[in-house]
Amino acid sequence: MSRNGKLIFGFLNLLKPKDLTSADVCNIVKKTLGKGLNHKKIKIGHGGTLDKFAQGVLVVGVGKYCKRLSEFLKCDKIYKAQIRVGEETDTLDPDGQVVLKKSYEHITKEKLQNIIREKYIGEIYQRPPAYSALKYKGKTMSDIIRSKELSKEKVEKLIKPRKLHIYDITIDRFELPNVEIGVHCSSGTYIRKLAKDIFDDLDSCAYLTNLVRIKQKNFTINKALPQSEWNLEKLITNLIKEEN
């Protein structure tokens, strides 16, 4: 893919808005570059899925840099999450249906800090949520549940726990039933599930109302390109080329 005889390739640090999937973002970039450069076979990919309800840093590879996206799949990430305590949805996010309600008045900030320090800092094992992009026989777990091919309970049994590393969790706001946390974690961490597990251990329940990816590798949200600027000129001028 070229423009004025120059090859077009690199990484894009895009600010994914709410209500777009990571695949939607890639399709927008592909259409914009393809139409603008009159090139139908542009190679585009992303370096790690962000849930549809989430926003923040989404690294997109263009051209030959798609081969290097695995660098971002394996790297550490930083998130900010808003949590609703005392209710749980089937998807553990605001797009799901409330399936559980429990009391939360017994929870204090000190109890939350203690459970985080005792069980959720360092190396942990996490079973990913049933509603996820994980695949089984070529289909995502989310699609399998929604198509009623398998129940949520059966899908949960298929998913094995994964070893992760949580470097830090900060409590940025504690005003029950609303809590905000910051999480610095290894790749593969599901923040939705982390919130559920923490508040399960506190004899309550929870789901995420908002999630923002602040940093992925060396790409930060303050330098991410917003959707209003995803035009041909901005996309090309914001391509980042890094040495291996």
Side-chain angles (χ1 to χ4, degrees):
M1 181 174 60
S2 63
R3 188 188 197 199
N4 299 327
K6 295 182 179 180
L7 290 176
I8 301 299
F9 56 84
F11 294 126
L12 288 166
N13 178 10
L14 302 183
L15 180 59
K16 189 191 92 65
K18 291 182 179 182
D19 300 324
L20 283 183
T21 66
S22 300
D24 290 337
V25 174
C26 287
N27 289 334
I28 292 170
V29 172
K30 187 169 186 175
K31 184 177 180 180
T32 302
L33 291 177
K35 184 178 180 180
L37 300 173
N38 194 26
H39 196 295
K40 295 181 180 179
K41 294 184 178 180
I42 298 173
K43 198 170 184 181
I44 303 290
H46 64 75
T49 301
L50 261 181
D51 290 331
K52 187 176 180 180
F53 82 97
Q55 55 192 314
V57 173
L58 184 71
V59 179
V60 171
V62 178
K64 67 181 184 180
Y65 270 51
C66 286
K67 294 180 180 180
R68 293 180 53 191
L69 287 170
S70 60
E71 299 172 22
F72 295 91
L73 294 172
K74 299 173 184 177
C75 71
D76 299 343
K77 302 172 181 71
I78 296 176
Y79 295 92
K80 292 290 185 182
Q82 295 178 1
I83 304 168
R84 173 78 180 200
V85 183
E87 293 184 354
E88 183 178 309
T89 65
D90 51 2
T91 57
L92 305 179
D93 63 33
D95 295 332
Q97 300 295 316
V98 174
V99 293
L100 180 65
K101 293 186 178 183
K102 296 184 76 173
S103 62
Y104 56 81
E105 292 81 2
H106 60 283
I107 300 173
T108 64
K109 186 175 182 179
E110 183 179 10
K111 287 181 179 179
L112 178 57
Q113 289 172 327
N114 288 341
I115 200 70
I116 288 172
R117 183 173 60 251
E118 292 168 7
K119 293 189 64 175
Y120 294 96
I121 298 297
E123 188 177 284
I124 69 167
Y125 282 85
Q126 181 190 70
R127 189 185 299 274
Y131 282 91
S132 70
L134 295 178
K135 289 190 175 182
Y136 178 71
K137 295 184 177 180
K139 298 180 181 179
T140 68
M141 295 299 193
S142 294
D143 287 342
I144 289 172
I145 297 171
R146 292 188 175 110
S147 67
K148 297 183 179 180
E149 186 176 333
L150 291 173
S151 68
K152 180 185 174 186
E153 290 71 27
K154 287 184 177 179
V155 165
E156 287 173 339
K157 291 179 180 178
L158 292 172
I159 300 173
K160 305 300 181 185
R162 297 176 167 188
K163 185 165 68 173
L164 309 170
H165 198 100
I166 307 296
Y167 300 96
D168 191 29
I169 299 177
T170 59
I171 302 171
D172 301 328
R173 178 188 174 206
F174 187 84
E175 297 175 4
L176 292 176
N178 300 305
V179 174
E180 294 181 14
I181 62 172
V183 182
H184 180 194
C185 57
S186 65
S187 62
T189 304
Y190 284 85
I191 308 301
R192 287 181 287 140
K193 190 59 162 44
L194 181 66
K196 169 184 166 53
D197 291 343
I198 289 171
F199 285 95
D200 278 355
D201 281 341
L202 290 168
D203 195 26
S204 189
C205 57
Y207 71 93
L208 293 195
T209 57
N210 192 36
L211 179 66
V212 182
R213 185 149 66 197
I214 302 296
K215 186 176 181 181
Q216 184 173 6
K217 202 178 177 184
N218 56 337
F219 287 14
T220 57
I221 195 168
N222 62 312
K223 293 184 178 179
L225 194 67
Q227 187 181 9
S228 60
E229 297 182 29
W230 295 355
N231 56 65
L232 180 64
E233 291 299 325
K234 286 284 188 178
L235 290 175
I236 290 175
T237 56
N238 281 273
L239 281 168
I240 300 167
K241 298 178 177 64
E242 292 185 338
E243 297 298 327
N244 284 309

